Structure formats: C-alpha cells, structure tokens
Amino acid sequence: MATTADDSVESPPKAWEPIFTVFVLAVMFFVLILDRIGTDSVMLTALTVFYLSGIISVTEALKGFNSLGLLTVLVLFVVAEGLNKTGALNWYVGKLFGRPTTLSGAQLRVMLPIMMLSGFINDTPLVTITLPIVIQWARKIKLHPRYVLMPLSFAALLGGVCTVIGTSTNLIVVGLLLERYPDKEEFQNMSLFALSPYGVPVALVGVAYVVLMTPSLLARGRGDSGVGSASSSGAHSEDILLGARLTQWSPATGRTIK
C-alpha cells in the first residue's frame, strides 16, 4: 500500500473555519455575559456546534471530560455538598476563627487557614464548603459579611497557586505537560510543591494587600465601624422571610422555632 508520511500530516484548516470559530466564540461570550442561560448549556452548545461543523472530531470533543482536573473538581463538589448538608465543619471552623476584635484580625483569621487548605483542596469546592460557615461566623461576631467574603475568595485563589493540586488550572496544565512532553523527566516527576517557591511569596503579598487596602476599597456603611458594631439590619439585610405549612406527619410538628 502506498501510505507515506504525508498521510499522517493534518491538512490545513479551510478558510472559513477560523472565521466561523471566532464567530461562535464571540456569540458564546456574549450569551455568557447576558447570564440568562446556564454556563454549562452555553459551553455544551458551542462544543456541539464545533463538532457538527467538522472543526473538531468526536475524540477532541470528549477529550476534556477525561481531564484529571475536571474529575477531581467533580469529586470534591460531592464532598462539599455533603459537608454543607451535615454542617460537619461548622463547630471546628468557629473554634478556628475565634472572636477577633479588629477587622484586620478577622480577615487574617479567615485568609490564612483558607490559604493553607487551598493548597491541598481545590479552591472552588473549598469556597463552596466554607462560604455559608464564614457568613454565619461573621454575623455571630457582628461583622458585615462583605468584609470577609472577598478575602475568602482571594485566599482560596492565592493558596491554590502554591501546589500542583491547588487549582483545576494547575491540574489541567500539568496534564497537558505530561501529555506533551512524555520524555522530559522534570515534568513526569513533578512534585506536589513544585510551584511553592513562586506561589508562596505571591500568596503572602496578596494577603498583605487585601488586609491593608480593605479600608480604602470597601467603604464602611452607616453604623458599621468594625467588628462588634455592625447593626443588625446591615448584617442581615439579605435575609429572606419564608413561610411554610406543615403536614401532620412532619417531624417539625409540635416543635418551637427555638
């Protein structure tokens, strides 16, 4: 058979494919900005369009679902949902955070533990786990949640860059390196803390920036002068009043709201 090396060379893309790709991506980002359709639906629709148009193959379309980073995040989301439902971490986190007396102290008590945990737990499910706990803790110490929610998110992001498994981005990049350079020993034997010499200094600078710049970037509301002085209306302005009708067989029947 007259098969040569030329058969294995991919043919160049057709003239319309780059233009069509840019158009689909522009429409996808526009729909994402509108925020009227779920992100997963928009992404899967764009992926389907690329497949039906012949720009990508079935293997290329499904390759992302075999990513180690994606599977890790999915598994950790299950763990996060279980911890949220059971409240298993509420007591421990409350003891860990304590009762600070200053705004900077409250932010440091949130950021430092979250930053260390984010190095070993993916940042997205970690924020999902700790978000309701931090909100409850902030209200308990009479601090408006806005002063700790952004630091919480930044701490998870900054801590995630310190290790290989800290963020899904790191996991994806490592997977691509292993696939692209199978013969390079430095990539195949990459340690868990390979990014720490670069990530830890960046994380510490980020924490210092958040603590120092919070008074300038987050303006205080009326009657909100710091820890222990947040008004009840300010701290609970997002509460929602709901009504429920109990059936006779409900386990809540006969119980008080306390």
Side-chain angles (χ1 to χ4, degrees):
M1 297 180 64
T3 57
T4 62
D6 295 337
D7 297 335
S8 61
V9 177
E10 296 183 0
S11 60
K14 300 178 182 178
W16 63 271
E17 291 183 354
I19 300 175
F20 183 76
T21 300
V22 172
F23 173 75
V24 173
L25 291 177
V27 173
M28 182 188 71
F29 283 115
F30 177 75
V31 176
L32 290 174
I33 292 174
L34 293 180
D35 199 22
R36 295 184 179 179
I37 304 177
T39 303
D40 53 345
S41 300
V42 177
M43 294 290 186
L44 288 176
T45 301
L47 181 65
T48 304
V49 170
F50 286 137
Y51 167 68
L52 294 177
S53 62
I55 295 178
I56 60 176
S57 62
V58 177
T59 303
E60 293 171 332
L62 300 179
K63 190 174 182 180
F65 295 97
N66 193 32
S67 169
L68 176 61
L70 175 63
L71 296 177
T72 303
V73 173
L74 290 177
V75 171
L76 289 175
F77 267 121
V78 176
V79 177
E81 185 63 19
L83 292 175
N84 282 337
K85 292 295 185 182
T86 60
L89 291 180
N90 290 21
W91 185 85
Y92 298 100
V93 174
K95 291 294 184 182
L96 178 65
F97 289 166
R99 299 188 64 88
T101 57
T102 61
L103 176 59
S104 59
Q107 291 179 333
L108 287 175
R109 286 173 183 257
V110 171
M111 296 186 71
L112 293 179
I114 295 301
M115 186 177 68
M116 289 186 290
L117 288 174
S118 183
F120 306 95
I121 303 176
N122 193 271
D123 53 1
T124 303
L126 177 62
V127 172
T128 304
I129 295 171
T130 56
L131 183 64
I133 301 174
V134 170
I135 292 177
Q136 294 178 6
W137 172 76
R139 291 174 174 173
K140 183 179 179 181
I141 64 174
K142 299 181 180 179
L143 175 67
H144 199 288
R146 70 168 175 262
Y147 293 119
V148 289
L149 292 185
M150 289 301 292
L152 167 66
S153 177
F154 291 144
L157 293 174
L158 292 170
V161 302
C162 296
T163 63
V164 171
I165 64 173
T167 66
S168 56
T169 305
N170 292 354
L171 291 171
I172 293 173
V173 171
V174 169
L176 292 175
L177 285 174
L178 296 177
E179 180 181 350
R180 181 77 173 180
Y181 304 102
D183 300 329
K184 293 207 172 184
E185 186 177 352
E186 61 268 24
F187 294 147
Q188 298 298 323
N189 298 326
M190 186 177 295
S191 66
L192 177 64
F193 301 100
L195 302 178
S196 298
Y198 314 99
V200 172
V202 172
L204 295 177
V205 171
V207 170
Y209 176 82
V210 171
V211 173
L212 295 176
M213 296 303 295
T214 293
S216 302
L217 299 178
L218 295 178
R220 300 182 187 275
R222 181 180 302 175
D224 184 11
S225 58
V227 177
S229 60
S231 62
S232 58
S233 60
H236 299 274
S237 58
E238 298 179 356
D239 286 355
I240 300 176
L241 180 62
L242 298 176
R245 185 175 182 178
L246 300 179
T247 58
Q248 295 180 353
W249 55 84
S250 171
T253 302
R255 297 185 179 182
T256 65
I257 59 175
K258 296 182 181 181

